[in-house]
Amino acid sequence: MDIDSSEDFQKIDVANKATRQIGLVRKDCLEQGIVDVETVAEAYHAVKLDQAKTGIWCYDNFTEGGSNSSGLVRSSAHLGTKECIIWPINHYLALNRHPKVVDAAIDAIRTFGTGCGTSAMSGGHSSLHKLAEKRLADWMGKEEAILFPTGYSANVGAISALAKGPSCFILFDRECHASIIDGVKLSGAKFLPFRHNDADDLNRKLEKYAASYENVLVVVESVYSMTGEEACLREIVDLKHRHNFLLFVDEAHSFGLHSDRTLCNKLGVTENVDFVMTTLSKSTASIGGVVATTPAFKTLMQVEANAYLFQASIPPSDVAAILAAMDVIEMEPQLLTSLWSKVGYMRGKLKGIGFDTGEGTSPIIPVFVRDSDTLLKMGQAMYEDGIFTTSVAYPVVKHSEVRFRFILNESHTYDQIDRTLDVMEKLGRKFGVI
Ligand SMILES: Cc1ncc(COP(=O)(O)O)c(C=O)c1O
């Protein structure tokens, strides 16, 4: 169907389709009183087609040969296929290509087959899954761990089970990942966000509300996915001396990246964190989510987290990849040293050129653009120059905070970093970002 000639779509005024942020389409529709879902879908699709035509549609591009530090990338915006340096992938240690990890996954398929066929509670786990839970619990400094099929479902499942119903109250950092917020909404608990990484604001909200609830859960990330900033975990843990709450920390962007395995361990706060969660799709280059905690809380989640009860478990090959990745992290500590040197180098250079990279220290490096049109146009120019990265736009972040996000992994070479910096400097000047 030719969307632009659709009768319904003619009724909707989506200004400047070619540069309109796709995230605003729903708002445009609502403002015009349009709630019919087919019409809203057509409006979304029309913006996507228009942006694809002009080349600024920057989503859903894909690699021809899987994730790597460089390779052929196919644009879904009619920009063709391009040899690119690849920056959107969270495989911090590039273990998806490590021969030991690849061999372990292949061997596991031969022994355990593909897929699990059912959830853990009804017999979907194998001895590999049990081994992984034990080893993850150990790394995360807790007695037990519970393995979910993804990081997303771990947060949704765990949070909705731990703070069930209106006698519970959840306080979460305003910049928490969507999986945390979805878990909060599903829980049926009362909830409030607190100011980003602001322990004083959290303290004020605990003082005002905590006493009125049976259970209070505080949820934060150890490192925030959109900025790469570390959470003020010590200050948050200190609040436990004054208030009675359970603390849940999502270590998606720090797990396996420190010699102590987690940021909670590195900061010496694990004992005061009730739930240490991570996804296994990043440093361990597989899939899965895990929550490490006490045996009793594990049992509660086994029985009450629908994402655990009613979702097939991770395939054995992916569990084998997790275990092999943990072996490699233990046996090749130089990977961590090398990653962190590259992080220091790239962050320092980007700052030196004049880019605003925020306050973070992690391998997630944001480059703030702060103007949505510039973000789309500069993103297109970057792709044309062989740099493939993520444009983080509204509604994921506020309009004033739109940015590119570079995710460094250990297999990025200094040559690739330098070439990226050259392109960024050239385009940053052209588009007035620096
Ligand atoms: C902080 C955080 N938590 C959870 C998730 C979900 O993990 P997964 O994509 O592996 O399901 C992500 C994914 O990016 C994340 O950044």
Side-chain angles (χ1 to χ4, degrees):
M1 182 173 60
D2 178 357
I3 291 296
D4 281 330
S5 67
S6 143
E7 208 184 300
D8 272 344
F9 183 67
Q10 298 309 317
K11 293 188 217 146
I12 307 168
D13 176 23
V14 181
N16 303 320
K17 287 203 291 296
T19 53
R20 190 70 170 150
Q21 292 284 293
I22 192 118
L24 288 174
V25 169
R26 176 70 80 168
K27 192 165 157 259
D28 285 338
C29 289
L30 285 177
E31 276 170 5
Q32 293 166 66
I34 295 161
V35 289
D36 169 59
V37 69
E38 270 187 76
T39 313
V40 175
E42 284 177 2
Y44 269 122
H45 195 53
V47 171
K48 177 171 140 182
L49 290 184
D50 237 61
Q51 293 193 350
K53 225 182 288 165
T54 55
I56 56 172
W57 174 256
C58 54
Y59 305 105
D60 204 21
N61 297 338
F62 60 91
T63 58
E64 288 284 347
S67 68
N68 221 334
S69 61
S70 67
L72 277 183
V73 176
R74 188 176 289 272
S75 153
S76 55
H78 314 306
L79 295 177
T81 302
K82 191 103 204 155
E83 180 64 29
C84 284
I85 304 170
I86 298 174
W87 291 103
I89 312 286
N90 289 284
H91 289 153
Y92 295 116
L93 298 168
L95 297 183
N96 61 318
R97 301 275 174 185
H98 195 291
K100 286 185 181 151
V101 177
V102 173
D103 286 349
I106 293 169
D107 289 350
I109 291 186
R110 294 199 192 291
T111 311
F112 294 87
T114 62
C116 282
T118 190
S119 69
M121 283 302 259
S122 45
H125 271 183
S126 67
S127 51
L128 270 187
H129 294 76
K130 293 299 167 207
L131 183 61
E133 283 187 332
K134 193 167 176 329
R135 206 152 158 217
L136 286 161
D138 196 41
W139 268 35
M140 297 164 100
K142 295 288 173 192
E143 257 186 275
E144 292 278 0
I146 173 168
L147 201 51
F148 288 81
T150 64
Y152 180 90
S153 62
N155 277 338
V156 170
I159 293 167
S160 60
L162 292 170
K164 247 194 172 82
S167 65
C168 302
F169 183 55
I170 308 176
L171 282 160
F172 60 94
D173 187 287
R174 191 175 281 289
E175 291 200 3
C176 274
H177 190 259
S179 54
I180 292 173
I181 294 169
D182 287 354
V184 168
K185 287 183 187 160
L186 186 67
S187 70
K190 302 278 184 205
F191 60 84
L192 260 188
F194 60 90
R195 271 197 226 133
H196 176 53
N197 222 5
D198 185 339
D200 291 337
D201 190 45
L202 174 59
N203 183 40
R204 273 192 296 277
K205 291 189 162 119
L206 283 164
E207 252 159 28
K208 192 159 173 197
Y209 301 103
S212 319
Y213 294 89
E214 282 296 315
N215 301 292
V216 178
L217 182 68
V218 172
V219 189
V220 296
E221 294 177 26
S222 54
V223 169
Y224 286 89
S225 61
M226 288 299 152
T227 56
E229 284 163 279
E230 273 186 20
C232 51
L233 283 177
R234 285 206 177 108
E235 291 170 50
I236 291 171
V237 160
D238 274 351
L239 296 177
K240 282 194 145 193
H241 298 304
R242 279 184 262 170
H243 307 282
N244 185 19
F245 62 90
L246 293 168
L247 180 58
F248 186 107
V249 178
D250 177 338
E251 291 246 15
H253 299 283
S254 46
F255 179 77
L257 300 186
H258 301 281
S259 55
D260 306 283
R261 311 306 173 213
T262 63
L263 191 61
C264 288
N265 286 342
K266 184 177 166 191
L267 299 176
V269 298
T270 302
E271 215 181 308
N272 293 308
V273 175
D274 304 277
F275 309 97
V276 186
M277 177 274 170
T278 188
T279 161
L280 299 158
S281 64
K282 302 188 189 306
S283 64
T284 50
S286 184
I287 189 97
V290 65
V291 183
T293 184
T294 61
F297 275 126
K298 174 172 175 171
T299 304
L300 181 139
M301 286 187 269
Q302 283 181 304
V303 178
E304 292 207 7
N306 281 356
Y308 184 80
L309 275 167
F310 297 107
Q311 201 177 184
S313 355
I314 323 174
S317 50
D318 292 320
V319 183
I322 294 163
L323 287 164
M326 292 169 82
D327 287 342
V328 173
I329 294 170
E330 275 176 355
M331 286 176 333
E332 299 181 27
Q334 72 279 9
L335 289 175
L336 295 183
T337 319
S338 165
L339 172 70
W340 286 108
S341 303
K342 289 174 184 175
V343 170
Y345 179 80
M346 188 163 175
R347 280 188 170 277
K349 290 276 180 182
L350 279 166
K351 266 203 178 113
I353 292 169
F355 284 110
D356 175 1
T357 54
E359 303 299 318
T361 49
S362 88
I364 302 169
I365 311 181
V367 170
F368 287 92
V369 172
R370 302 192 189 281
D371 179 79
S372 297
D373 277 0
T374 309
L375 182 84
L376 295 180
K377 289 177 183 154
M378 186 166 157
Q380 175 183 0
M382 280 161 62
Y383 179 81
E384 284 167 346
D385 261 339
I387 306 298
F388 172 39
T389 195
T390 314
S391 303
V392 186
Y394 178 87
V396 177
V397 293
K398 288 187 208 148
H399 289 292
S400 58
E401 292 182 9
V402 299
R403 67 198 73 165
F404 295 113
R405 189 171 62 153
F406 292 85
I407 300 174
L408 235 166
N409 79 57
E410 198 282 328
S411 71
H412 282 118
T413 63
Y414 282 96
D415 278 354
Q416 289 170 337
I417 297 172
D418 286 341
R419 166 141 164 63
T420 303
L421 293 167
D422 287 346
V423 171
M424 288 300 288
E425 181 163 12
K426 181 184 82 178
L427 296 179
R429 290 197 198 294
K430 179 172 170 192
F431 287 95
V433 178
I434 48 172

